[in-house]
Amino acid sequence: MRTPMICWAFFLLVLLGKACNGFYLPGSYMKTYSTGDEIFAKVNSLTSIETELPFSYYSLPYCQPHGGVKKSAENLGELLMGDQIDNSPYRFRMNVNESVYLCTTKPLSEHEVKLLKQRTRDLYQVNMILDNLPVMRYAKQNGIDIQWTGFPVGYSPQNSNEDYIINHLKFTVLVHEYEGSGIEVIGTGEEGMGVISESDKKKASGFEIVGFVVVPCSVKYEPEAMTKHHIYDKILPVDCPSDLDKSQIIREQERISFTYVVEFVKSDIRWPSRWDAYLKMEGARVHWFSILNSLMVIVFLAGIVFVIFLRTVRRDLTRYEELDKEAQAQMNEELSGWKLVVGDVFREPDCPKLLCVMVGDGVQITGMAVVTIVFAAFGFMSPASRGMLLTGMILLYLFLGIAAGYAAVRMWTTIKGTSEGWRSISWSVASFFPGIVFVILTILNFILWGSHSTGAIPISLYFILLALWFCISVPLTLLGGLMGTRAEAIQYPVRTNQIPREIPARKLPSWVLVLGAGTLPFGTLFIELFFILSSIWLGRFYYVFGFLLIVLLLLVVVCAEVSVVLTYMHLCVEDWRWWWKAFFASGSVSIFVFLYSINYLVFDLQSLSGPVSAILYLGYSLIMAIAIMLSTGTIGLLTSFYFVHYLFSSVKID
């Protein structure tokens, strides 16, 4: 076992060494434009932090592009997140400042007015993309400058019962002149990886888009005058009116004209740094406080483990080994604490099959989380590549089925002493967690279908996910299970008595201590959990994966220490049923995560409206909590198993 561990350690050191000498450039492959080149913006789904239900941009009466609406190619992650990226009529010509007319709608129907008012009052945002950059809007709130991605569908003034639509957009496109001078760029985005070679430098010379900012306005136009124009006709520039009488109201039979102004501004921002404005890390001190807090917990628990090993266990084992056989036999009759359960400590736990299945799924989820966060921390999963993070997680989970099958079957063989039934274990591992997720997602999907949201998973995607599951995950899990049967079984250091030892009565039930133990891992996690929930539900970018990687490593250490300490405490009171307790000692952190999610819903997502949005939130939070339970529980159980194995391998009792 030592050689593979040394190889893995060497591999990680090499990887870290390479990472230190590398560099990170977020975004897709750099594209340069010449003056006058046409660039068309794209539009994503309309989103709201009030409902969390995305809708298609063209579900509202907006101007449509020539040739009709065409969907952009979407990856698995984008489809699952509810993204629907379409082309748009918004055309930009590099370095050409212009004021442009788009279209005038037909008189608004009752249904269109109702829909526009509903989307406006639910605070829906239009998400526009230019050269893979989301449009950004700056605003002042309580005297503080804030930035948002996207712009609102409309607005409802406080002193008015009417709603007004955003129909005039003032775009500022920041460009940087690139001359192809000795810069090597590696892309990690949706257009694939590539390096600008010497021969391409001349061809790549031109202007790069490094910023995309919008100021949204509502302007009332005269429909009769505007309908004389054709699409892309130049018009006189207009200022954003402050008077509501000059703004475009939403009501029946109104005809809305859409216009925009674009201004190109040269910038010193380089293309590799263009995402910095979106990824400004806020609250760095809070992240460091979270890590410091976790380190204090680890030091405290490590002190307890140190005392257990060096003062208690080592002292007892040294005294025991110094005695001769007759004295050992006499001492066996006078033993107390963990030494009394030597004949029961490796007794088969209740529901051993379920335990092995949960451990297998836990290994799979933990491996997926660690590899994903490591890759994200090294910059391989750029936010410019929408859906890449989720797609990568799904593919990693599928391929790690081999590790899940191996871990589950090896534990089954260890507990039962035989590999008989390994196929059933492997099938259960492949079906347990995916089955739970599938049931929850199906229920949520029916709700989304009923709401006509783009967040609903298409039927075709269901078949794709099932095909991936049956064709990749299940065979790899069975292969891992087969490898588990051929691996050398872990031999118990002591024999198990035929008759179970009676467990002494206790004042408090053991599950109270087990549940309480989950507070320590939760203390490591909860601050970072706030930022993650905010990024998911409040539309913020989360890109401090370096902090998240540190928190994950600390969480693993805390889970291992908590389970070892709790297992030792149970053995000391002659409670030999430690298997499930070790699992839930660290796995119970998921209960606190789910309760914190409910707390976040009540106190931080107060704007979330309607039961549909709340059910969606709780459904996704439940999936997250179950995954955390399986992952942390597995870490705790495996650590406790090796602790108990080491402890009793030093005791030689017939």
Side-chain angles (χ1 to χ4, degrees):
M1 291 294 290
R2 285 183 176 272
T3 305
M5 289 296 291
I6 293 169
C7 292
W8 274 108
F10 178 74
F11 171 74
L12 287 173
L13 283 172
V14 171
L15 187 66
L16 286 169
K18 290 288 184 184
C20 293
N21 295 323
F23 54 92
Y24 163 60
L25 298 174
S28 59
Y29 187 91
M30 184 179 71
K31 192 171 183 181
T32 56
Y33 302 91
S34 300
T35 299
D37 283 357
E38 290 189 348
I39 315 149
F40 284 88
K42 296 179 181 180
V43 286
N44 204 339
S45 300
L46 305 173
T47 55
S48 167
I49 61 172
E50 286 222 341
T51 66
E52 300 298 343
L53 297 172
F55 290 98
S56 169
Y57 173 82
Y58 292 107
S59 62
L60 297 181
Y62 286 126
C63 303
Q64 298 208 359
H66 278 311
V69 178
K70 296 175 183 175
K71 289 182 172 56
S72 296
E74 294 171 330
N75 59 41
L76 188 62
E78 286 177 306
L79 290 169
L80 288 172
M81 290 192 302
D83 286 349
Q84 183 177 313
I85 301 173
D86 302 313
N87 59 336
S88 83
Y90 287 91
R91 183 201 67 181
F92 303 88
R93 291 186 292 175
M94 178 58 70
N95 286 331
V96 177
N97 299 336
E98 53 189 350
S99 182
V100 180
Y101 166 80
L102 268 186
C103 76
T104 301
T105 66
K106 295 176 182 178
L108 293 179
S109 66
E110 181 184 354
H111 173 70
E112 288 172 330
V113 169
K114 183 180 177 182
L115 206 57
L116 278 170
K117 283 180 171 285
Q118 186 179 346
R119 298 288 181 265
T120 299
R121 291 174 183 177
D122 286 340
L123 304 181
Y124 269 86
Q125 301 279 316
V126 177
N127 299 294
M128 197 172 285
I129 304 162
L130 183 69
D131 192 43
N132 215 24
L133 275 182
V135 70
M136 184 181 288
R137 170 171 61 98
Y138 293 95
K140 271 189 179 285
Q141 189 172 358
N142 300 324
I144 301 172
D145 290 325
I146 55 173
Q147 62 184 43
W148 301 88
T149 52
F151 57 89
V153 169
Y155 63 95
S156 306
Q158 292 181 352
N159 56 352
S160 172
N161 293 324
E162 301 293 344
D163 301 298
Y164 297 84
I165 189 171
I166 299 296
N167 64 329
H168 179 68
L169 301 171
K170 301 177 79 170
F171 293 108
T172 302
V173 181
L174 303 179
V175 295
H176 179 80
E177 189 169 4
Y178 173 68
E179 298 177 354
S181 54
I183 297 176
E184 194 177 67
V185 178
I186 298 179
T188 57
E190 58 188 16
E191 285 136 4
M193 296 192 71
V195 177
I196 295 181
S197 63
E198 293 290 337
S199 60
D200 292 333
K201 283 178 184 174
K202 189 174 180 181
K203 188 178 14 177
S205 298
F207 295 92
E208 314 154 348
I209 294 174
V210 294
F212 187 33
V213 182
V214 68
V215 176
C217 309
S218 181
V219 180
K220 185 172 178 60
Y221 293 104
E222 289 297 329
E224 292 77 13
M226 298 303 288
T227 49
K228 295 177 183 178
H229 294 290
H230 297 92
I231 189 169
Y232 304 131
D233 280 355
K234 292 187 177 181
I235 59 171
L236 293 174
V238 294
D239 294 323
C240 294
S242 56
D243 190 354
L244 290 179
D245 293 335
K246 295 180 181 178
S247 299
Q248 180 59 59
I249 196 169
I250 301 173
R251 64 183 171 202
E252 284 186 56
Q253 300 307 311
E254 281 285 323
R255 300 186 70 186
I256 301 171
S257 296
F258 288 90
T259 59
Y260 67 95
V261 176
V262 58
E263 180 185 7
F264 286 85
V265 177
K266 287 193 176 181
S267 170
D268 293 330
I269 299 171
R270 305 295 294 268
W271 185 87
S273 305
R274 66 180 191 157
W275 274 90
D276 289 356
Y278 302 86
L279 306 179
K280 281 180 181 175
M281 188 176 64
E282 298 176 358
R285 290 184 180 179
V286 179
H287 290 284
W288 284 118
F289 171 77
S290 168
I291 291 169
L292 184 62
N293 172 56
S294 306
L295 284 171
M296 291 175 66
V297 173
I298 285 176
V299 170
F300 172 71
L301 290 172
I304 297 176
V305 174
F306 181 80
V307 169
I308 289 172
F309 269 109
L310 293 188
R311 295 194 58 185
T312 309
V313 178
R314 284 285 186 185
R315 184 189 61 200
D316 289 351
L317 291 176
T318 304
R319 283 178 53 201
Y320 191 85
E321 288 169 358
E322 287 174 353
L323 300 174
D324 56 25
K325 290 186 178 180
E326 291 183 6
Q328 282 184 16
Q330 183 181 356
M331 188 177 176
N332 288 341
E333 298 175 2
E334 302 171 357
L335 288 176
S336 61
W338 61 269
K339 309 169 207 70
L340 281 171
V341 295
V342 68
D344 299 274
V345 70
F346 290 108
R347 191 175 298 283
E348 183 180 308
D350 297 330
C351 306
K353 182 177 179 180
L354 178 61
L355 182 65
C356 294
V357 168
M358 291 172 79
V359 166
D361 279 326
V363 167
Q364 195 170 6
I365 293 166
T366 305
M368 174 197 72
V370 170
V371 175
T372 302
I373 293 171
V374 166
F375 271 79
F378 286 133
F380 287 100
M381 296 192 177
S382 164
S385 310
R386 277 168 295 277
M388 179 68 76
L389 189 67
L390 188 56
T391 304
M393 288 174 69
I394 291 170
L395 292 176
L396 277 170
Y397 182 84
L398 292 172
F399 286 105
L400 283 170
I402 193 166
Y406 176 85
V409 169
R410 189 155 191 213
M411 175 153 279
W412 173 258
T413 306
T414 300
I415 292 173
K416 288 288 187 180
T418 175
S419 61
E420 188 177 349
W422 70 271
R423 290 183 182 85
S424 174
I425 295 290
S426 300
W427 270 103
S428 300
V429 169
S431 308
F432 182 70
F433 181 67
I436 293 172
V437 173
F438 184 81
V439 169
I440 295 173
L441 285 182
T442 302
I443 295 170
L444 297 180
N445 218 44
F446 278 119
I447 295 171
L448 290 169
W449 274 333
S451 303
H452 306 288
S453 169
T454 60
I457 301 173
I459 292 292
S460 58
L461 185 57
Y462 261 102
F463 286 111
I464 291 171
L465 291 173
L466 285 172
L468 288 172
W469 179 55
F470 273 111
C471 298
I472 298 177
S473 183
V474 172
L476 286 178
T477 308
L478 287 167
L479 176 62
L482 179 62
M483 291 169 64
T485 61
R486 297 183 177 180
E488 185 181 352
I490 300 172
Q491 300 296 325
Y492 291 148
V494 292
R495 290 187 297 183
T496 302
N497 296 336
Q498 291 184 348
I499 302 173
R501 180 184 179 83
E502 185 178 351
I503 298 171
R506 300 174 63 183
K507 292 181 180 179
L508 283 175
S510 58
W511 61 264
V512 174
L513 191 60
V514 169
L515 290 179
T519 56
L520 291 171
F522 178 70
T524 306
L525 188 65
F526 82 98
I527 294 178
E528 212 61 38
L529 190 62
F530 170 80
F531 288 99
I532 293 170
L533 291 175
S534 297
S535 72
I536 295 172
W537 300 106
L538 295 179
R540 299 172 185 167
F541 283 102
Y542 182 88
Y543 214 67
V544 286
F545 288 106
F547 281 117
L548 186 59
L549 178 61
I550 296 171
V551 169
L552 178 67
L553 296 175
L554 295 178
L555 179 66
V556 169
V557 175
V558 171
C559 287
E561 291 180 344
V562 162
S563 287
V564 166
V565 171
L566 206 74
T567 300
Y568 182 76
M569 289 172 66
H570 279 97
L571 294 178
C572 283
V573 293
E574 302 173 34
D575 187 351
W576 45 265
R577 294 175 301 186
W578 60 271
W579 295 86
W580 282 105
K581 293 183 176 95
F583 186 92
F584 284 114
S586 52
S588 60
V589 67
S590 60
I591 298 172
F592 297 98
V593 168
F594 189 69
L595 291 175
Y596 182 81
S597 300
I598 296 173
N599 172 80
Y600 187 85
L601 171 65
V602 174
F603 294 104
D604 292 281
L605 286 181
Q606 294 173 349
S607 61
L608 205 65
S609 60
V612 171
S613 303
I615 291 170
L616 285 173
Y617 175 86
L618 292 173
Y620 291 127
S621 297
L622 183 60
I623 292 174
M624 179 179 68
I626 292 170
I628 289 172
M629 178 197 70
L630 293 171
S631 176
T632 54
T634 298
I635 293 166
L637 176 65
L638 293 179
T639 310
S640 292
F641 176 80
Y642 285 107
F643 165 72
V644 173
H645 190 279
Y646 170 78
L647 183 61
F648 284 90
S649 64
S650 304
V651 179
K652 299 176 176 60
I653 298 180
D654 294 330

